[in-house]
Short mmCIF file of all heavy atoms in Angstrom, two decimals:
data_model
loop_
_atom_site.label_atom_id
_atom_site.label_comp_id
_atom_site.label_asym_id
_atom_site.label_seq_id
_atom_site.Cartn_x
_atom_site.Cartn_y
_atom_site.Cartn_z
N MET T 1 18.10 131.34 114.07
CA MET T 1 17.14 130.29 113.81
C MET T 1 15.73 130.84 113.81
O MET T 1 15.41 131.75 114.54
CB MET T 1 17.23 129.21 114.90
CG MET T 1 18.52 128.46 114.98
SD MET T 1 18.53 127.25 113.69
CE MET T 1 20.25 126.94 113.61
N ARG T 2 14.89 130.25 113.03
CA ARG T 2 13.48 130.66 112.96
C ARG T 2 12.73 130.06 114.14
O ARG T 2 12.91 128.91 114.49
CB ARG T 2 12.90 130.15 111.65
CG ARG T 2 11.50 130.59 111.41
CD ARG T 2 11.07 130.09 110.04
NE ARG T 2 9.66 130.23 109.89
CZ ARG T 2 9.08 131.16 109.15
NH1 ARG T 2 9.82 132.02 108.50
NH2 ARG T 2 7.79 131.23 109.05
N SER T 3 11.88 130.86 114.77
CA SER T 3 11.11 130.39 115.92
C SER T 3 9.62 130.45 115.61
O SER T 3 9.18 131.20 114.75
CB SER T 3 11.43 131.20 117.17
OG SER T 3 11.05 132.54 116.98
N VAL T 4 8.85 129.62 116.33
CA VAL T 4 7.41 129.56 116.13
C VAL T 4 6.77 130.88 116.51
O VAL T 4 6.02 131.47 115.76
CB VAL T 4 6.79 128.42 116.97
CG1 VAL T 4 5.28 128.46 116.89
CG2 VAL T 4 7.29 127.08 116.48
N SER T 5 7.04 131.34 117.70
CA SER T 5 6.56 132.64 118.13
C SER T 5 7.75 133.58 118.16
O SER T 5 8.88 133.15 118.06
CB SER T 5 5.91 132.53 119.51
OG SER T 5 6.85 132.07 120.45
N GLY T 6 7.51 134.82 118.30
CA GLY T 6 8.60 135.78 118.30
C GLY T 6 9.48 135.74 119.52
O GLY T 6 10.48 136.43 119.59
N ASP T 7 9.15 134.88 120.49
CA ASP T 7 9.91 134.87 121.74
C ASP T 7 11.22 134.09 121.67
O ASP T 7 12.02 134.14 122.58
CB ASP T 7 9.05 134.34 122.89
CG ASP T 7 8.59 132.92 122.67
OD1 ASP T 7 9.08 132.27 121.73
OD2 ASP T 7 7.71 132.46 123.43
N GLY T 8 11.46 133.36 120.59
CA GLY T 8 12.71 132.66 120.40
C GLY T 8 12.84 131.36 121.18
O GLY T 8 13.92 130.80 121.26
N GLU T 9 11.77 130.85 121.77
CA GLU T 9 11.86 129.62 122.55
C GLU T 9 11.89 128.37 121.68
O GLU T 9 12.69 127.48 121.91
CB GLU T 9 10.71 129.53 123.55
CG GLU T 9 10.84 130.53 124.68
CD GLU T 9 9.70 130.40 125.66
OE1 GLU T 9 9.13 129.31 125.78
OE2 GLU T 9 9.38 131.40 126.31
N THR T 10 11.02 128.26 120.70
CA THR T 10 10.93 127.07 119.87
C THR T 10 11.66 127.32 118.56
O THR T 10 11.30 128.21 117.80
CB THR T 10 9.46 126.72 119.59
OG1 THR T 10 8.78 126.57 120.83
CG2 THR T 10 9.36 125.42 118.81
N VAL T 11 12.68 126.53 118.29
CA VAL T 11 13.49 126.71 117.09
C VAL T 11 13.08 125.69 116.03
O VAL T 11 12.89 124.52 116.32
CB VAL T 11 14.99 126.55 117.43
CG1 VAL T 11 15.83 126.63 116.18
CG2 VAL T 11 15.40 127.59 118.44
N LEU T 12 12.92 126.16 114.80
CA LEU T 12 12.56 125.31 113.66
C LEU T 12 13.67 125.40 112.62
O LEU T 12 13.59 126.18 111.68
CB LEU T 12 11.22 125.77 113.08
CG LEU T 12 10.05 125.76 114.05
CD1 LEU T 12 8.81 126.36 113.40
CD2 LEU T 12 9.77 124.36 114.56
N PRO T 13 14.72 124.59 112.79
CA PRO T 13 15.91 124.75 111.95
C PRO T 13 15.85 124.09 110.58
O PRO T 13 16.74 124.31 109.76
CB PRO T 13 17.00 124.12 112.80
CG PRO T 13 16.30 123.05 113.56
CD PRO T 13 14.93 123.63 113.86
N TRP T 14 14.83 123.28 110.28
CA TRP T 14 14.77 122.59 108.99
C TRP T 14 13.70 123.21 108.11
O TRP T 14 12.58 123.41 108.52
CB TRP T 14 14.50 121.10 109.20
CG TRP T 14 15.67 120.45 109.84
CD1 TRP T 14 15.82 120.17 111.17
CD2 TRP T 14 16.87 120.05 109.21
NE1 TRP T 14 17.06 119.61 111.38
CE2 TRP T 14 17.72 119.52 110.20
CE3 TRP T 14 17.32 120.08 107.89
CZ2 TRP T 14 18.99 119.03 109.90
CZ3 TRP T 14 18.58 119.58 107.60
CH2 TRP T 14 19.39 119.07 108.60
N GLN T 15 14.07 123.50 106.87
CA GLN T 15 13.20 124.17 105.92
C GLN T 15 12.84 123.23 104.78
O GLN T 15 13.69 122.47 104.32
CB GLN T 15 13.92 125.38 105.30
CG GLN T 15 14.59 126.28 106.30
CD GLN T 15 13.60 126.98 107.18
OE1 GLN T 15 12.76 127.72 106.71
NE2 GLN T 15 13.69 126.74 108.47
N VAL T 16 11.60 123.30 104.31
CA VAL T 16 11.22 122.64 103.06
C VAL T 16 11.18 123.76 102.03
O VAL T 16 10.51 124.78 102.21
CB VAL T 16 9.86 121.94 103.16
CG1 VAL T 16 9.42 121.41 101.80
CG2 VAL T 16 9.92 120.80 104.17
N ILE T 17 11.94 123.57 100.97
CA ILE T 17 12.08 124.55 99.90
C ILE T 17 11.53 123.95 98.61
O ILE T 17 11.83 122.80 98.28
CB ILE T 17 13.57 124.92 99.67
CG1 ILE T 17 14.23 125.37 100.97
CG2 ILE T 17 13.73 125.95 98.55
CD1 ILE T 17 13.73 126.66 101.52
N ARG T 18 10.73 124.73 97.88
CA ARG T 18 10.28 124.30 96.56
C ARG T 18 11.11 125.05 95.53
O ARG T 18 11.22 126.27 95.58
CB ARG T 18 8.81 124.63 96.33
CG ARG T 18 8.33 124.17 94.96
CD ARG T 18 6.86 124.50 94.75
NE ARG T 18 6.38 123.90 93.53
CZ ARG T 18 6.48 124.45 92.32
NH1 ARG T 18 7.05 125.63 92.18
NH2 ARG T 18 6.01 123.83 91.26
N GLU T 19 11.69 124.29 94.62
CA GLU T 19 12.46 124.91 93.54
C GLU T 19 11.73 124.60 92.25
O GLU T 19 11.51 123.44 91.90
CB GLU T 19 13.88 124.35 93.50
CG GLU T 19 14.76 125.06 92.52
CD GLU T 19 16.22 124.73 92.70
OE1 GLU T 19 16.54 123.64 93.18
OE2 GLU T 19 17.05 125.58 92.34
N ASP T 20 11.33 125.66 91.54
CA ASP T 20 10.57 125.44 90.30
C ASP T 20 11.51 125.18 89.13
O ASP T 20 12.73 125.18 89.27
CB ASP T 20 9.60 126.59 90.04
CG ASP T 20 10.26 127.92 89.69
OD1 ASP T 20 11.46 127.94 89.34
OD2 ASP T 20 9.57 128.95 89.76
N GLY T 21 10.93 124.96 87.99
CA GLY T 21 11.70 124.62 86.79
C GLY T 21 12.60 125.74 86.29
O GLY T 21 13.46 125.52 85.45
N HIS T 22 12.42 126.94 86.83
CA HIS T 22 13.23 128.09 86.42
C HIS T 22 14.30 128.43 87.45
O HIS T 22 14.98 129.45 87.30
CB HIS T 22 12.33 129.31 86.20
CG HIS T 22 11.27 129.06 85.17
ND1 HIS T 22 11.53 128.96 83.82
CD2 HIS T 22 9.94 128.87 85.31
CE1 HIS T 22 10.41 128.72 83.18
NE2 HIS T 22 9.43 128.66 84.05
N GLY T 23 14.43 127.61 88.50
CA GLY T 23 15.43 127.86 89.52
C GLY T 23 14.99 128.79 90.64
O GLY T 23 15.76 129.10 91.53
N ASN T 24 13.74 129.24 90.60
CA ASN T 24 13.21 130.07 91.69
C ASN T 24 12.95 129.20 92.90
O ASN T 24 12.49 128.07 92.77
CB ASN T 24 11.91 130.77 91.25
CG ASN T 24 12.14 131.66 90.06
OD1 ASN T 24 13.02 132.50 90.06
ND2 ASN T 24 11.33 131.47 89.03
N ARG T 25 13.24 129.73 94.09
CA ARG T 25 13.10 128.96 95.33
C ARG T 25 12.11 129.64 96.27
O ARG T 25 12.13 130.85 96.42
CB ARG T 25 14.47 128.84 96.00
CG ARG T 25 15.46 128.07 95.15
CD ARG T 25 16.87 128.25 95.63
NE ARG T 25 17.07 127.80 96.98
CZ ARG T 25 17.42 126.57 97.33
NH1 ARG T 25 17.64 125.68 96.40
NH2 ARG T 25 17.58 126.25 98.59
N TYR T 26 11.26 128.81 96.88
CA TYR T 26 10.24 129.30 97.80
C TYR T 26 10.24 128.46 99.06
O TYR T 26 10.22 127.23 98.99
CB TYR T 26 8.85 129.20 97.14
CG TYR T 26 8.77 129.83 95.79
CD1 TYR T 26 9.02 129.09 94.64
CD2 TYR T 26 8.49 131.18 95.66
CE1 TYR T 26 8.98 129.68 93.39
CE2 TYR T 26 8.44 131.78 94.42
CZ TYR T 26 8.68 131.02 93.28
OH TYR T 26 8.64 131.61 92.05
N ARG T 27 10.27 129.10 100.22
CA ARG T 27 10.19 128.36 101.47
C ARG T 27 8.74 127.95 101.69
O ARG T 27 7.84 128.78 101.71
CB ARG T 27 10.68 129.19 102.65
CG ARG T 27 10.66 128.39 103.94
CD ARG T 27 11.26 129.12 105.11
NE ARG T 27 10.68 130.44 105.23
CZ ARG T 27 11.35 131.51 105.61
NH1 ARG T 27 12.63 131.44 105.90
NH2 ARG T 27 10.75 132.67 105.71
N VAL T 28 8.53 126.65 101.85
CA VAL T 28 7.20 126.09 102.05
C VAL T 28 6.87 126.02 103.54
O VAL T 28 5.74 126.27 103.94
CB VAL T 28 7.11 124.69 101.40
CG1 VAL T 28 5.79 124.03 101.71
CG2 VAL T 28 7.34 124.78 99.91
N GLY T 29 7.86 125.66 104.36
CA GLY T 29 7.60 125.54 105.79
C GLY T 29 8.88 125.34 106.57
O GLY T 29 9.93 125.06 106.00
N SER T 30 8.76 125.48 107.88
CA SER T 30 9.87 125.30 108.81
C SER T 30 9.48 124.20 109.79
O SER T 30 8.33 124.17 110.27
CB SER T 30 10.14 126.59 109.58
OG SER T 30 10.42 127.63 108.70
N TYR T 31 10.42 123.32 110.13
CA TYR T 31 10.13 122.16 110.95
C TYR T 31 11.21 121.93 111.99
O TYR T 31 12.36 122.31 111.79
CB TYR T 31 9.95 120.92 110.06
CG TYR T 31 8.84 121.15 109.06
CD1 TYR T 31 9.11 121.68 107.81
CD2 TYR T 31 7.52 120.92 109.41
CE1 TYR T 31 8.08 121.95 106.91
CE2 TYR T 31 6.49 121.19 108.52
CZ TYR T 31 6.78 121.70 107.27
OH TYR T 31 5.76 121.98 106.40
N ALA T 32 10.85 121.26 113.07
CA ALA T 32 11.76 121.03 114.18
C ALA T 32 12.80 119.97 113.88
O ALA T 32 13.93 120.05 114.35
CB ALA T 32 10.98 120.65 115.43
N THR T 33 12.43 118.97 113.07
CA THR T 33 13.38 117.89 112.78
C THR T 33 13.50 117.68 111.28
O THR T 33 12.58 117.99 110.51
CB THR T 33 12.92 116.56 113.42
OG1 THR T 33 11.71 116.13 112.78
CG2 THR T 33 12.71 116.69 114.92
N ARG T 34 14.61 117.12 110.88
CA ARG T 34 14.82 116.81 109.46
C ARG T 34 13.82 115.76 108.99
O ARG T 34 13.30 115.83 107.88
CB ARG T 34 16.25 116.32 109.24
CG ARG T 34 16.53 116.02 107.78
CD ARG T 34 17.94 115.48 107.56
NE ARG T 34 18.12 115.22 106.16
CZ ARG T 34 18.75 116.03 105.32
NH1 ARG T 34 19.29 117.15 105.76
NH2 ARG T 34 18.86 115.72 104.05
N THR T 35 13.52 114.79 109.87
CA THR T 35 12.57 113.74 109.52
C THR T 35 11.19 114.32 109.20
O THR T 35 10.57 113.96 108.20
CB THR T 35 12.45 112.71 110.67
OG1 THR T 35 13.74 112.15 110.89
CG2 THR T 35 11.46 111.62 110.35
N GLU T 36 10.73 115.23 110.04
CA GLU T 36 9.44 115.87 109.82
C GLU T 36 9.43 116.65 108.51
O GLU T 36 8.50 116.55 107.70
CB GLU T 36 9.13 116.80 110.99
CG GLU T 36 7.80 117.49 110.90
CD GLU T 36 7.56 118.46 112.05
OE1 GLU T 36 8.51 118.80 112.78
OE2 GLU T 36 6.40 118.87 112.20
N ALA T 37 10.50 117.40 108.26
CA ALA T 37 10.61 118.17 107.02
C ALA T 37 10.64 117.25 105.81
O ALA T 37 10.00 117.53 104.79
CB ALA T 37 11.85 119.05 107.07
N GLN T 38 11.36 116.13 105.91
CA GLN T 38 11.46 115.19 104.79
C GLN T 38 10.12 114.55 104.49
O GLN T 38 9.76 114.35 103.33
CB GLN T 38 12.52 114.13 105.08
CG GLN T 38 12.85 113.29 103.86
CD GLN T 38 13.45 114.11 102.74
OE1 GLN T 38 14.45 114.78 102.92
NE2 GLN T 38 12.83 114.08 101.56
N GLN T 39 9.35 114.23 105.53
CA GLN T 39 8.02 113.65 105.32
C GLN T 39 7.12 114.62 104.56
O GLN T 39 6.39 114.22 103.66
CB GLN T 39 7.39 113.29 106.66
CG GLN T 39 8.04 112.10 107.31
CD GLN T 39 7.54 111.86 108.73
OE1 GLN T 39 6.89 112.70 109.34
NE2 GLN T 39 7.87 110.69 109.27
N VAL T 40 7.17 115.90 104.92
CA VAL T 40 6.37 116.91 104.22
C VAL T 40 6.83 117.04 102.77
O VAL T 40 6.02 117.07 101.84
CB VAL T 40 6.43 118.27 104.95
CG1 VAL T 40 5.79 119.37 104.12
CG2 VAL T 40 5.76 118.16 106.31
N ALA T 41 8.14 117.11 102.56
CA ALA T 41 8.68 117.23 101.20
C ALA T 41 8.28 116.03 100.35
O ALA T 41 7.89 116.19 99.18
CB ALA T 41 10.20 117.38 101.25
N ASP T 42 8.35 114.83 100.92
CA ASP T 42 7.97 113.62 100.19
C ASP T 42 6.48 113.65 99.83
O ASP T 42 6.10 113.33 98.69
CB ASP T 42 8.27 112.37 101.01
CG ASP T 42 9.76 112.12 101.18
OD1 ASP T 42 10.57 112.73 100.44
OD2 ASP T 42 10.11 111.32 102.06
N ARG T 43 5.65 114.05 100.78
CA ARG T 43 4.21 114.11 100.53
C ARG T 43 3.90 115.13 99.44
O ARG T 43 3.13 114.87 98.52
CB ARG T 43 3.45 114.45 101.81
CG ARG T 43 1.94 114.51 101.61
CD ARG T 43 1.17 114.74 102.89
NE ARG T 43 1.70 115.84 103.69
CZ ARG T 43 1.37 117.13 103.51
NH1 ARG T 43 0.56 117.48 102.54
NH2 ARG T 43 1.87 118.05 104.30
N LEU T 44 4.50 116.30 99.52
CA LEU T 44 4.26 117.33 98.51
C LEU T 44 4.78 116.88 97.14
O LEU T 44 4.15 117.16 96.12
CB LEU T 44 4.92 118.64 98.92
CG LEU T 44 4.27 119.35 100.10
CD1 LEU T 44 5.13 120.52 100.55
CD2 LEU T 44 2.87 119.81 99.74
N GLY T 45 5.90 116.19 97.13
CA GLY T 45 6.44 115.69 95.88
C GLY T 45 5.54 114.67 95.21
O GLY T 45 5.39 114.65 93.99
N ARG T 46 4.89 113.83 96.02
CA ARG T 46 3.98 112.82 95.48
C ARG T 46 2.71 113.44 94.92
O ARG T 46 2.20 113.01 93.89
CB ARG T 46 3.58 111.81 96.57
CG ARG T 46 4.61 110.77 96.85
CD ARG T 46 4.03 109.64 97.67
NE ARG T 46 3.31 110.09 98.86
CZ ARG T 46 3.85 110.28 100.06
NH1 ARG T 46 5.14 110.08 100.24
NH2 ARG T 46 3.11 110.67 101.08
N THR T 47 2.18 114.44 95.60
CA THR T 47 0.92 115.04 95.19
C THR T 47 1.10 116.19 94.21
O THR T 47 0.13 116.74 93.73
CB THR T 47 0.14 115.57 96.42
OG1 THR T 47 0.90 116.60 97.03
CG2 THR T 47 -0.15 114.46 97.40
N GLY T 48 2.32 116.56 93.96
CA GLY T 48 2.58 117.70 93.09
C GLY T 48 2.57 119.01 93.86
O GLY T 48 2.94 120.04 93.34
N GLY T 49 2.12 118.96 95.13
CA GLY T 49 2.15 120.14 95.98
C GLY T 49 1.33 121.30 95.47
O GLY T 49 1.58 122.44 95.79
N ARG T 50 0.33 121.01 94.67
CA ARG T 50 -0.46 122.09 94.08
C ARG T 50 -1.74 122.31 94.84
O ARG T 50 -2.45 121.36 95.17
CB ARG T 50 -0.79 121.76 92.63
CG ARG T 50 0.44 121.75 91.75
CD ARG T 50 0.05 121.39 90.36
NE ARG T 50 -0.46 120.01 90.40
CZ ARG T 50 -0.32 119.16 89.43
NH1 ARG T 50 0.29 119.50 88.34
NH2 ARG T 50 -0.79 117.94 89.53
N ALA T 51 -2.02 123.56 95.08
CA ALA T 51 -3.31 123.93 95.64
C ALA T 51 -4.34 123.85 94.53
O ALA T 51 -4.00 123.84 93.35
CB ALA T 51 -3.26 125.33 96.22
N LYS T 52 -5.60 123.83 94.89
CA LYS T 52 -6.68 123.80 93.90
C LYS T 52 -6.50 124.97 92.94
O LYS T 52 -6.36 126.10 93.36
CB LYS T 52 -8.02 123.90 94.63
CG LYS T 52 -9.20 123.66 93.76
CD LYS T 52 -10.45 123.63 94.62
CE LYS T 52 -11.67 123.37 93.80
NZ LYS T 52 -12.86 123.34 94.63
N GLY T 53 -6.44 124.65 91.67
CA GLY T 53 -6.28 125.70 90.66
C GLY T 53 -4.84 126.14 90.49
O GLY T 53 -4.56 127.11 89.82
N GLY T 54 -3.90 125.42 91.09
CA GLY T 54 -2.49 125.80 91.03
C GLY T 54 -1.86 125.52 89.69
O GLY T 54 -2.46 124.92 88.81
N GLY T 55 -0.60 125.92 89.58
CA GLY T 55 0.12 125.76 88.33
C GLY T 55 0.68 124.37 88.15
O GLY T 55 0.32 123.44 88.85
N GLY T 56 1.58 124.24 87.22
CA GLY T 56 2.16 122.96 86.89
C GLY T 56 3.04 122.40 87.98
O GLY T 56 3.53 123.11 88.83
N GLY T 57 3.25 121.09 87.93
CA GLY T 57 4.05 120.43 88.95
C GLY T 57 5.49 120.22 88.51
O GLY T 57 6.02 119.14 88.65
N ASP T 58 6.12 121.24 87.95
CA ASP T 58 7.48 121.10 87.43
C ASP T 58 8.54 121.44 88.48
O ASP T 58 9.69 121.63 88.14
CB ASP T 58 7.67 121.96 86.19
CG ASP T 58 7.48 123.45 86.46
OD1 ASP T 58 6.94 123.79 87.53
OD2 ASP T 58 7.86 124.25 85.60
N GLY T 59 8.18 121.47 89.74
CA GLY T 59 9.13 121.82 90.78
C GLY T 59 9.56 120.61 91.59
O GLY T 59 9.02 119.52 91.44
N SER T 60 10.55 120.82 92.42
CA SER T 60 11.00 119.77 93.32
C SER T 60 11.06 120.35 94.73
O SER T 60 11.19 121.56 94.92
CB SER T 60 12.37 119.25 92.89
OG SER T 60 13.32 120.28 92.90
N TYR T 61 10.96 119.46 95.72
CA TYR T 61 10.96 119.87 97.12
C TYR T 61 12.23 119.39 97.77
O TYR T 61 12.59 118.22 97.66
CB TYR T 61 9.72 119.32 97.83
CG TYR T 61 8.47 119.98 97.32
CD1 TYR T 61 7.81 119.49 96.20
CD2 TYR T 61 7.98 121.13 97.92
CE1 TYR T 61 6.68 120.12 95.71
CE2 TYR T 61 6.86 121.77 97.44
CZ TYR T 61 6.22 121.25 96.33
OH TYR T 61 5.11 121.89 95.85
N LEU T 62 12.92 120.30 98.43
CA LEU T 62 14.21 120.03 99.05
C LEU T 62 14.11 120.28 100.55
O LEU T 62 13.34 121.12 100.99
CB LEU T 62 15.27 120.96 98.47
CG LEU T 62 15.29 121.13 96.96
CD1 LEU T 62 16.17 122.30 96.58
CD2 LEU T 62 15.76 119.86 96.32
N VAL T 63 14.93 119.56 101.31
CA VAL T 63 15.02 119.80 102.75
C VAL T 63 16.41 120.36 103.01
O VAL T 63 17.41 119.79 102.57
CB VAL T 63 14.81 118.50 103.55
CG1 VAL T 63 15.07 118.72 105.02
CG2 VAL T 63 13.40 117.98 103.33
N GLU T 64 16.46 121.50 103.67
CA GLU T 64 17.73 122.16 103.97
C GLU T 64 17.71 122.71 105.39
O GLU T 64 16.67 123.11 105.88
CB GLU T 64 17.97 123.33 103.01
CG GLU T 64 18.09 122.93 101.57
CD GLU T 64 18.31 124.13 100.67
OE1 GLU T 64 18.13 125.28 101.11
OE2 GLU T 64 18.67 123.91 99.51
N PRO T 65 18.88 122.76 106.02
CA PRO T 65 18.95 123.46 107.30
C PRO T 65 18.73 124.95 107.06
O PRO T 65 18.99 125.45 105.97
CB PRO T 65 20.36 123.17 107.82
CG PRO T 65 21.13 122.66 106.66
CD PRO T 65 20.16 122.18 105.63
N LEU T 66 18.28 125.64 108.06
CA LEU T 66 17.96 127.07 107.94
C LEU T 66 19.10 127.86 107.32
O LEU T 66 18.88 128.75 106.51
CB LEU T 66 17.60 127.63 109.32
CG LEU T 66 17.20 129.11 109.35
CD1 LEU T 66 15.96 129.34 108.51
CD2 LEU T 66 16.95 129.55 110.77
N GLU T 67 20.33 127.55 107.66
CA GLU T 67 21.47 128.31 107.15
C GLU T 67 21.57 128.21 105.62
O GLU T 67 22.15 129.08 104.99
CB GLU T 67 22.78 127.80 107.73
CG GLU T 67 22.86 127.87 109.24
CD GLU T 67 22.24 126.65 109.91
OE1 GLU T 67 22.41 125.51 109.43
OE2 GLU T 67 21.55 126.84 110.91
N CYS T 68 20.99 127.18 105.02
CA CYS T 68 21.10 126.97 103.58
C CYS T 68 19.85 127.39 102.81
O CYS T 68 19.83 127.32 101.60
CB CYS T 68 21.37 125.49 103.28
SG CYS T 68 22.97 124.94 103.85
N ALA T 69 18.83 127.81 103.49
CA ALA T 69 17.55 128.09 102.85
C ALA T 69 17.63 129.20 101.80
O ALA T 69 16.80 129.30 100.92
CB ALA T 69 16.48 128.42 103.88
N SER T 70 18.65 130.02 101.86
CA SER T 70 18.80 131.09 100.88
C SER T 70 19.39 130.59 99.57
O SER T 70 19.48 131.33 98.61
CB SER T 70 19.70 132.19 101.45
OG SER T 70 21.00 131.68 101.66
N GLY T 71 19.78 129.30 99.52
CA GLY T 71 20.35 128.72 98.32
C GLY T 71 21.86 128.75 98.30
O GLY T 71 22.48 128.30 97.36
N GLU T 72 22.48 129.27 99.36
CA GLU T 72 23.93 129.37 99.40
C GLU T 72 24.61 128.01 99.44
O GLU T 72 25.74 127.87 99.03
CB GLU T 72 24.35 130.19 100.63
CG GLU T 72 23.86 131.60 100.56
CD GLU T 72 24.02 132.34 101.89
OE1 GLU T 72 24.49 131.73 102.85
OE2 GLU T 72 23.68 133.53 101.94
N CYS T 73 23.91 126.99 99.96
CA CYS T 73 24.52 125.65 100.09
C CYS T 73 24.19 124.76 98.92
O CYS T 73 24.66 123.64 98.87
CB CYS T 73 24.04 125.00 101.40
SG CYS T 73 24.52 125.91 102.86
N ALA T 74 23.35 125.21 98.00
CA ALA T 74 22.90 124.37 96.89
C ALA T 74 24.02 124.12 95.90
O ALA T 74 24.92 124.84 95.72
CB ALA T 74 21.70 124.99 96.21
#
């Protein structure tokens, strides 16, 4: 499991993944709960998740447990 600090005390098992229109996947963040991760994914999906000067909004945001973040569960 991914931890906040390297000491392994705080586990962040939920990942927000951005999948672009070409199938490329990028981890956006790690979160303690699925609810927290889903809120971030929903917010990014509404705003397009683009930084100032960013590219097109042709991607989607997914919430996955850490074990699936590599795309093996997709």
Side-chain angles (χ1 to χ4, degrees):
M1 295 282 161
R2 185 177 167 105
S3 63
V4 173
S5 60
D7 61 11
E9 289 181 27
T10 304
V11 176
L12 302 175
W14 292 98
Q15 312 293 299
V16 173
I17 306 293
R18 180 180 188 274
E19 187 167 28
D20 68 16
H22 302 288
N24 300 308
R25 297 165 60 90
Y26 308 91
R27 183 174 51 216
V28 174
S30 302
Y31 302 91
T33 66
R34 182 182 180 100
T35 300
E36 182 182 14
Q38 191 63 56
Q39 289 172 347
V40 171
D42 291 345
R43 181 176 48 85
L44 290 171
R46 281 194 310 270
T47 63
R50 292 179 295 213
K52 189 174 181 180
D58 61 346
S60 60
Y61 292 87
L62 314 168
V63 173
E64 297 179 347
L66 181 62
E67 301 85 41
C68 293
S70 64
E72 297 169 358
C73 298

